[in-house]
């Protein structure tokens, strides 16, 4: 589902980074699930100038975190994997946004919030 204006405050490139990485993670999580369980939901909406992007997907297994609560990859090749959420976090950070993750009971939810331009801070 998408209900957004024609012109967004986030660049096309960074929107692609955000959606691409969130969907890539969701696809990775559901690829070994039975087809009837492998449903991924993507929704985008803009309310009062704030853009919300939500990706929800089922998962099986354990989700790993470091001691700071940052999610870690389950893949053995840690050098070349596990950078997707960091890329999302950096992209939304440039727009004074945030990435929120929630998981439990076999369901994972990633929410990106981007706030109106007038709420952006100029630190230059």
């Amino acid at each position: 589902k998408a209900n957004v204006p024609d012109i967004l405050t986030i660049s096309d490139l960074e929107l692609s980074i955000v959606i691409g990485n969130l969907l890539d993670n969701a696809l990775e999580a559901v690829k070994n699930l039975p087809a009837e369980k492998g449903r991924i939901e993507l929704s985008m909406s803009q309310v009062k100038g704030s853009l919300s992007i939500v990706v929800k997907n089922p998962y099986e297994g354990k989700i790993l975190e470091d001691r700071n609560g940052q999610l870690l990859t389950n893949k053995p090749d840690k050098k070349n994997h596990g950078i997707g959420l960091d890329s999302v976090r950096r992209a939304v950070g440039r727009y004074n946004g945030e990435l929120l993750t929630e998981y439990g009971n076999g369901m994972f939810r990633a929410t990106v919030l981007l706030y109106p331009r007038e709420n952006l801070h100029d630190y230059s």
Side-chain angles (χ1 to χ4, degrees):
K1 296 183 238 178
N3 183 16
V4 294
D6 292 336
I7 299 174
L8 298 172
T9 58
I10 186 170
S11 75
D12 293 346
L13 173 64
E14 290 181 305
L15 183 61
S16 296
I17 289 169
V18 169
I19 292 174
N21 279 293
L22 294 180
L23 285 177
D24 186 53
N25 288 348
L27 288 166
E28 185 70 28
V30 302
K31 76 177 184 181
N32 294 320
L33 296 178
E36 67 274 5
K37 290 186 177 183
R39 180 183 171 127
I40 297 171
E41 294 179 33
L42 167 66
S43 62
M44 292 177 58
S45 60
Q46 190 160 358
V47 178
K48 296 183 181 179
S50 293
L51 179 65
S52 169
I53 302 168
V54 179
V55 175
K56 289 173 45 176
N57 61 273
Y59 71 93
E60 287 183 350
K62 185 173 177 153
I63 293 182
L64 303 175
E65 292 183 359
D66 67 13
R67 65 185 131 201
N68 298 319
Q70 299 296 316
L71 300 180
L72 302 171
T73 185
N74 289 332
K75 294 180 180 176
D77 182 5
K78 309 262 189 258
K79 182 178 179 186
N80 294 307
H81 295 283
I83 58 172
L85 289 180
D86 286 338
S87 297
V88 171
R89 207 171 277 108
R90 280 192 305 276
V92 301
R94 287 189 277 278
Y95 293 86
N96 196 29
E98 54 189 324
L99 168 65
L100 308 168
T101 56
E102 306 168 74
Y103 55 90
N105 299 321
M107 188 61 67
F108 187 91
R109 177 184 174 122
T111 303
V112 167
L113 298 171
L114 300 173
Y115 302 107
R117 294 269 306 152
E118 60 268 13
N119 292 343
L120 292 178
H121 302 290
D122 182 10
Y123 293 110
S124 51

